[in-house]
């Protein structure tokens, strides 16, 4: 058996090698399913039931009913997914998987139809191995990718979680790409969840393969497990984005092994990390407090923010952790998270989040719903294992982006030798055509205002570009009379919600004027 498998994979490798020779530099097919532009929200039974008999058709239908009757569908929960142990241990004579008739007497197609009739989506599970993970030995899809994908599509499956057990040592990329391609060939849009536990760093290869990938081993319903998953996942922000998410595993909220405070931290951090929000508790039994966590629309909005940025860690000192997440409307979400056993004060600043300077900021506490303003400090006393979660907005007026935090083309310098500038200095661009100063800012905006000084007697025109496109050509920055006399040039330039690159490029030999700041006005 194993020698046959070796022969088969050697033959497969030859075919792949041969097709590479023929195709030359043709890129590998990419994941182009257009799905999960925001992280998936829904349910999966595993954390609640594992393979116990209570995992059955009645339960799954009950969950779908509650999604509608208790408003979970209205706040974004969509996928009703089943995990391991749904099948019989053997394929049928046609080689197809067979739903366990004791658990699913009506079959999987009927269950998917039930879920669809409620306006929800249905997901299923199998493994990229010869068998799934459960010791009962349910059949996996390795070597049966197309047949199983076709069967799932024929049942109306919308989401596949593809596990890693019994993989026979076959290369992970090969296994997960085979199922990606099989799903694509069905012609049905099926969200594709890679459950490889982070073993081969899927974040480095899976963006063109799956819509999400597990970054860790299995979560369990304990503080130490949950916070360990957050710690492992939080450094991977650069790999997440619309259609391709880091997955630190499913939610435990409501399963009873953590306190309400700890479950709030769990939900807060998953939302900050743009993680899947897959409820893992039996919603027919969860407490009102835990239900309220799962339905906190302010927190869900962070997870589902259309910009799709995972939070980054601003600081992590002895278990006191500050996370910041850029949001599409220019706001920031800030989490002050206390992993220690004692209450502690955790602090950061609006400026550290890169939101841009303003005279004041609004902080909305997304759990207590209290709103306050600050001139910059973001700080709270945070109980043990709690997370204070703020949505931070500029409280009005312009946001100032100093030139000393801008990027300059070669030869440009940040100087401070002509008094009267704001902040700690100004940008002195090289004296040449093409010399530029570039800011990273956040919209929305309708006006851009540049602080500058020009001590010469001739204007220093620049092209103003937004995200690489010139929106105002040869805008003059006129003489101000002296290098210490600062003035402004304003232009009505509108920026959509979200981050933008603003570049001023000199169009004459003198280079740009000395530039002090860019004010972005809503
Ligand atoms: C693996 C996965 C889990 C779950 C079980 C089912 O452990 O990582 O999420 O699907 O298999 O057997």
């Amino acid at each position: 058996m194993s020698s046959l498998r070796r022969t088969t994979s050697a033959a497969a490798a030859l075919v792949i090698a041969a097709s590479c020779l023929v195709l030359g530099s043709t890129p590998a097919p990419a994941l182009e399913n257009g799905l999960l532009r925001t992280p998936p929200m829904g349910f999966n039974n595993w954390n609640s039931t594992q393979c116990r008999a209570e995992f059955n058709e009645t339960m799954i239908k009950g969950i779908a009913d509650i999604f509608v009757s208790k408003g979970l569908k209205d706040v974004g929960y969509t996928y009703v997914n089943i995990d391991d142990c749904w099948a019989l241990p053997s394929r049928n004579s046609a080689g197809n998987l067979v739903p366990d008739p004791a658990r699913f007497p009506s079959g999987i197609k009927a269950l998917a139809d039930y879920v669809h009739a409620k306006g929800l989506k249905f997901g299923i599970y199998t493994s990229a191995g010869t068998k799934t993970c459960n010791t009962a030995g349910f059949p996996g899809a390795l070597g049966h990718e197309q047949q199983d994908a076709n069967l799932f599509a024929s049942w109306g499956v919308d989401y596949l979680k593809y596990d890693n057990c019994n993989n026979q040592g076959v290369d992970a990329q090969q296994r997960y790409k085979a199922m990606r391609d099989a799903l694509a060939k069905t012609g049905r849009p099926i969200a594709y969840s890679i459950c490889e536990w982070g073993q081969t760093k899927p974040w480095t290869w899976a963006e063109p393969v799956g819509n999400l990938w597990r970054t860790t081993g299995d979560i369990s319903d304990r503080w130490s497990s949950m916070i360990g998953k957050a710690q492992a996942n939080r450094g991977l922000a650069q790999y997440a984005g619309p259609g391709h998410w880091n997955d630190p595993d499913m939610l435990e909220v409501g399963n009873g092994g953590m306190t309400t405070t700890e479950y709030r931290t769990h939900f807060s951090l998953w939302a900050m990390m743009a993680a899947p929000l897959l409820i893992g508790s039996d919603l027919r039994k969860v407490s009102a407090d835990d239900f309220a966590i799962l339905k906190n629309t302010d927190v869900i909005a962070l997870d589902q923010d259309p910009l799709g940025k995972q939070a980054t860690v601003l600081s992590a000192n002895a278990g006191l952790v500050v996370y910041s997440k850029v949001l599409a409307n220019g706001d920031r979400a800030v989490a002050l998270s206390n992993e220690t056993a004692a209450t502690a004060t955790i602090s950061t600043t609006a400026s550290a989040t890169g939101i841009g300077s303003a005279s004041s900021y609004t902080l909305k506490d997304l759990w207590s719903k209290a709103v306050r303003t600050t001139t910059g400090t973001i700080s709270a006393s945070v109980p043990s294992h709690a997370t204070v979660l703020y949505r931070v907005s500029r409280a009005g007026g312009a946001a100032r982006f100093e030139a000393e935090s801008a990027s300059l083309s070669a030869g440009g310098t940040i100087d401070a030798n002509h008094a009267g500038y704001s902040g700690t200095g100004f940008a002195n661009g090289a004296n040449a055509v093409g010399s530029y100063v570039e800011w990273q800012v956040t919209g929305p905006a309708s006006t851009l205002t540049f602080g500058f000084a020009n001590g010469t007697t001739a204007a220093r025109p620049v092209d103003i570009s937004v995200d690489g496109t010139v929106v105002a050509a040869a805008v003059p920055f006129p003489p101000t009379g002296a290098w210490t006399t600062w003035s402004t040039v304003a232009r009505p330039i509108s920026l959509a919600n979200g981050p933008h690159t603003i570049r001023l490029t000199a169009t004459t030999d003198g280079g740009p004027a000395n530039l002090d700041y860019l004010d972005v006005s809503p």
Side-chain angles (χ1 to χ4, degrees):
M1 183 68 178
S2 68
S3 87
L4 171 64
R5 197 171 290 121
R6 263 199 298 278
T7 315
T8 312
S9 60
L14 273 179
V15 171
I16 291 166
S19 60
C20 288
L21 280 178
V22 174
L23 297 174
S25 61
T26 307
L31 181 77
E32 280 162 358
N33 66 12
L35 300 172
L36 301 189
R37 309 312 294 171
T38 60
M41 291 179 66
F43 169 85
N44 173 299
N45 64 286
W46 181 255
N47 287 348
S48 158
T49 66
Q50 307 223 329
C51 288
R52 290 188 302 276
E54 71 214 59
F55 166 48
N56 58 28
E57 188 172 299
T58 307
M59 177 198 196
I60 303 301
K61 285 179 162 177
I63 299 294
D65 293 346
I66 289 175
F67 264 31
V68 175
S69 65
K70 290 206 169 171
L72 291 161
K73 179 185 171 193
D74 292 340
V75 300
Y77 293 96
T78 304
Y79 289 95
V80 177
N81 296 349
I82 63 172
D83 209 281
D84 199 1
C85 308
W86 60 265
L88 284 179
S90 298
R91 292 172 181 270
N92 66 16
S93 56
N96 281 325
L97 298 165
V98 184
D100 179 345
R103 293 183 195 269
F104 297 101
S106 313
I108 300 296
K109 168 103 176 47
L111 184 58
D113 289 347
Y114 185 91
V115 169
H116 289 151
K118 302 204 166 263
L120 300 167
K121 293 188 157 79
F122 180 77
I124 206 162
Y125 162 100
T126 189
S127 183
T130 49
K131 292 184 182 333
T132 68
C133 295
N134 186 265
T135 47
F138 303 106
L142 188 63
H144 297 263
E145 289 86 355
Q146 197 63 58
Q147 180 167 14
D148 292 353
N150 290 346
L151 184 66
F152 297 154
S154 77
W155 287 343
V157 163
D158 305 297
Y159 185 113
L160 174 67
K161 172 178 172 183
Y162 201 36
D163 213 337
N164 196 30
C165 284
N166 302 300
N167 61 45
Q168 309 304 311
V170 180
D171 175 71
Q173 296 194 39
Q174 187 183 321
R175 288 180 291 118
Y176 285 96
K177 285 177 184 169
M179 182 55 88
R180 170 199 63 192
D181 296 343
L183 292 173
K185 280 206 190 114
T186 68
R188 183 175 175 86
I190 299 178
Y192 183 32
S193 158
I194 295 175
C195 179
E196 175 272 5
W197 319 315
Q199 286 191 340
T200 64
K201 298 189 165 58
W203 47 91
T204 63
W205 55 260
E207 177 176 337
V209 183
N211 295 112
L212 59 157
W213 47 80
R214 282 272 294 277
T215 56
T216 70
D218 289 7
I219 196 169
S220 61
D221 189 20
R222 282 176 289 118
W223 164 260
S224 59
S225 170
M226 182 278 290
I227 205 68
K229 305 300 167 222
Q231 290 162 347
N233 194 71
R234 69 191 180 203
L236 302 175
Q238 72 185 98
Y239 302 104
H244 53 99
W245 310 102
N246 291 311
D247 174 7
D249 208 358
M250 302 171 294
L251 297 171
E252 292 283 4
V253 177
N255 279 329
M258 289 183 244
T259 65
T260 301
T261 294
E262 291 169 342
Y263 280 145
R264 283 195 188 126
T265 287
H266 183 12
F267 201 68
S268 299
L269 298 185
W270 263 235
M272 288 294 284
M273 296 190 297
L277 298 181
L278 293 172
I279 297 168
S281 54
D282 187 340
L283 289 166
R284 298 169 302 174
K285 299 175 190 162
V286 301
S287 70
D289 278 353
D290 290 340
F291 217 94
I293 293 173
L294 296 168
K295 280 189 71 175
N296 186 323
T297 50
D298 285 327
V299 182
I300 291 170
L302 305 184
D303 185 76
Q304 296 293 302
D305 186 80
L307 192 60
K309 294 273 190 202
Q310 177 174 331
T312 57
V313 175
L314 294 186
S315 61
N317 297 316
L320 306 179
V321 188
V322 179
Y323 299 76
S324 172
K325 185 182 202 288
V326 183
L327 301 172
N329 73 346
D331 289 359
R332 297 293 188 275
V334 170
L336 307 175
S337 190
N338 183 353
E339 300 176 357
T340 78
T343 297
T345 297
I346 307 179
S347 306
T348 186
T349 61
S351 149
T353 71
I355 193 173
S357 69
S359 51
S360 70
Y361 303 86
T362 304
L363 301 183
K364 180 174 182 186
D365 182 321
L366 303 186
W367 289 110
S368 76
K369 310 296 180 186
V371 177
R372 63 189 171 91
T373 58
T374 172
T375 55
T377 299
I378 301 171
S379 182
S381 172
V382 187
S384 168
H385 292 188
T387 296
V388 172
L389 194 57
Y390 291 121
R391 187 168 184 130
V392 185
S393 320
R394 300 193 299 247
R400 175 157 296 183
F401 296 85
E402 292 287 351
E404 50 270 34
S405 57
S407 308
L408 277 53
S409 57
T413 52
I414 301 298
D415 294 344
N417 56 334
H418 300 303
Y421 51 79
S422 78
T424 59
F426 56 88
N428 177 4
N431 300 117
V433 173
S435 161
Y436 68 81
V437 177
E438 179 179 287
W439 285 266
Q440 305 299 329
V441 306
T442 317
S446 56
T447 304
L448 302 185
T449 304
F450 301 90
F452 77 101
N454 177 358
T456 73
T457 53
R460 292 200 161 180
V462 295
D463 286 345
I464 302 175
S465 71
V466 175
D467 303 326
T469 302
V470 174
V471 295
V475 175
F477 280 60
T480 55
W483 289 112
T484 51
T485 302
W486 298 87
S487 183
T488 57
V489 163
R491 277 289 177 284
I493 290 172
S494 68
L495 302 179
N497 276 348
H500 298 280
T501 302
I502 309 295
R503 182 184 281 198
L504 266 50
T505 307
T507 57
T508 62
D509 289 347
N514 284 350
L515 291 160
D516 184 14
Y517 59 81
L518 162 54
D519 278 348
V520 173
S521 310

